[in-house]
Amino acid sequence: SKACSGRIQDVAGLARTQLPPEMGDKLVKHFNAAQIAGYVGLNAIGQGSPYSKTFFFDVYNDQHNLLTPAELKTLSHHDWDNSGLCMKELCTWCQMDAVEARKAGHLDTYQEKYVHDRILQFRAAMDGMYDYTDQPPHFFYIHFLVLLSVLYLPLFAIDTAYAAGWGEETYIGLDALNGVIVFLQCIFVVGLRSLATKMIDPYGDDLEDLSVILYVEATLEICDTIMKSRQPPKAKKTEPNDSFKDMMG
C-alpha cells in the first residue's frame, strides 16, 4: 500500500515539473483513480470488503474529480466490486497519458520510460496485495489450531487436574498454579487461532486491519500539494556597480 502511494508521488513530481497543468492533472488523477479502484476490486477475492464503488470510489471521485462522467461511462462495463480489471485499465490509461506527453514534446524518451516504470511498479505492488489477500494462511495451519483447541486443551486440563492430586493429596497452592497454567495455555492456543482468522482478510474493517482510507487520503493530499506547489518569484539581480553606488550614496 505504501509502495503504491510512493509510485504515485514519483509520477506526480515529474508531472508537476515537466507537463502542462492540464496534462499533468489528468495523469495524476488517473493514477489516483487506479489506486482507489484497486482497493475496490479487493472484493473479488471472495472475502468481502468494506470498500465498494458506491461508498468508496464514488465518494473520493466526487471530492477530487478524478474521472469525468465520460471516463466513468467508458469503464462502466467492468464489475468494479468483483474484479481488479478496472484498476488494470486505468494503469494503461496512465501509460497512454505518458505516451501522449512524449509525442507532444513535454517528455523525452528517458522521462517517458521513468513514468512507465513507476506505473508498472505500482501495478505490481497492487497485484501483490491481491496475491496476499487471495492466499490466506494455509488450511493446515488453521486446521491444526482448531484441532488443538478441540482435543489438546481439554486433555491438557484433565491431565493437569489428575497431576494435581485428589482426596488428601490436594494442595490449594498447587491447584491455583495449575489453574493459571491451564488458563494461559487456553489463551495462547485460542489466540493463535483468532490471529489466523484475522490474517485471512488484512484489508477488512477490523480495527487491526490495514488502513486503506489513510493510504488513499494521504496520497491524495500529497499529490495535491505537489501539483499546487509554487516557488517564490526570483529576486531581481543587481549589478555590482549599482550596489557600490548605493553604498557610496
Side-chain angles (χ1 to χ4, degrees), residues 32-245:
N32 277 287
Q35 182 190 27
I36 302 175
Y39 289 123
V40 171
L42 287 174
N43 287 290
I45 54 93
Q47 297 292 337
S49 172
Y51 310 109
S52 64
K53 179 182 182 298
T54 303
F55 298 107
F56 190 64
F57 183 89
D58 288 347
V59 172
Y60 286 109
N61 189 55
D62 292 340
Q63 293 176 356
H64 300 277
N65 299 316
L66 301 177
L67 299 179
T68 65
E71 291 172 334
L72 287 172
K73 185 177 180 181
T74 303
L75 297 170
S76 61
H77 64 283
H78 292 300
D79 187 359
W80 290 59
D81 293 319
N82 297 290
S83 172
L85 296 178
C86 184
M87 178 268 295
K88 302 289 182 121
E89 182 165 348
L90 283 168
C91 287
T92 305
W93 284 14
C94 294
Q95 292 182 284
M96 292 178 178
D97 292 337
V99 173
E100 180 183 354
R102 192 257 305 163
K103 290 182 177 179
H106 303 299
L107 298 178
D108 57 28
T109 55
Y110 176 80
Q111 292 168 332
E112 180 192 8
K113 182 180 181 299
Y114 176 88
V115 175
H116 284 303
D117 288 342
R118 292 304 182 273
I119 296 171
L120 295 179
Q121 290 173 14
F122 165 86
R123 192 174 66 184
M126 190 65 71
D127 287 340
M129 289 194 294
Y130 279 75
D131 293 340
Y132 181 77
T133 309
D134 200 21
Q135 298 174 11
H138 295 292
F139 169 77
F140 175 78
Y141 176 71
I142 298 180
H143 178 70
F144 179 69
L145 291 174
V146 172
L147 188 65
L148 286 178
S149 302
V150 174
L151 297 179
Y152 169 72
L153 290 180
L155 292 176
F156 178 77
I158 294 173
D159 179 72
T160 304
Y162 273 103
W166 60 86
E168 296 180 356
E169 299 180 357
T170 57
Y171 301 96
I172 299 299
L174 184 60
D175 289 345
L177 177 61
N178 287 331
V180 172
I181 293 174
V182 171
F183 178 71
L184 293 178
Q185 188 80 337
C186 292
I187 291 179
F188 177 73
V189 175
V190 175
L192 285 177
R193 188 181 68 179
S194 177
L195 178 62
T197 57
K198 296 294 185 182
M199 290 172 62
I200 292 177
D201 186 15
Y203 299 99
D205 53 0
D206 297 321
L207 292 177
E208 62 270 20
D209 286 332
L210 298 177
S211 181
V212 171
I213 294 177
L214 177 62
Y215 297 151
V216 170
E217 292 186 349
T219 305
L220 289 169
E221 182 178 2
I222 293 171
C223 288
D224 185 65
T225 301
I226 293 174
M227 299 306 292
K228 292 182 178 179
S229 62
R230 297 288 186 276
Q231 288 185 338
K234 295 182 179 180
K236 183 180 180 181
K237 293 183 179 180
T238 58
E239 296 293 335
N241 293 336
D242 293 341
S243 300
F244 180 75
K245 292 177 180 179

Side-chain angles (χ1 to χ4, degrees), residues 3-17 28 31 114-115 118 121 222-223 226:
C4 296
S5 177
R7 302 297 75 75
I8 296 174
Q9 295 172 42
D10 293 342
V11 172
L14 182 64
R16 173 64 186 86
T17 56
V28 174
F31 216 172
Y114 176 88
V115 175
R118 292 304 182 273
Q121 290 173 14
I222 293 171
C223 288
I226 293 174

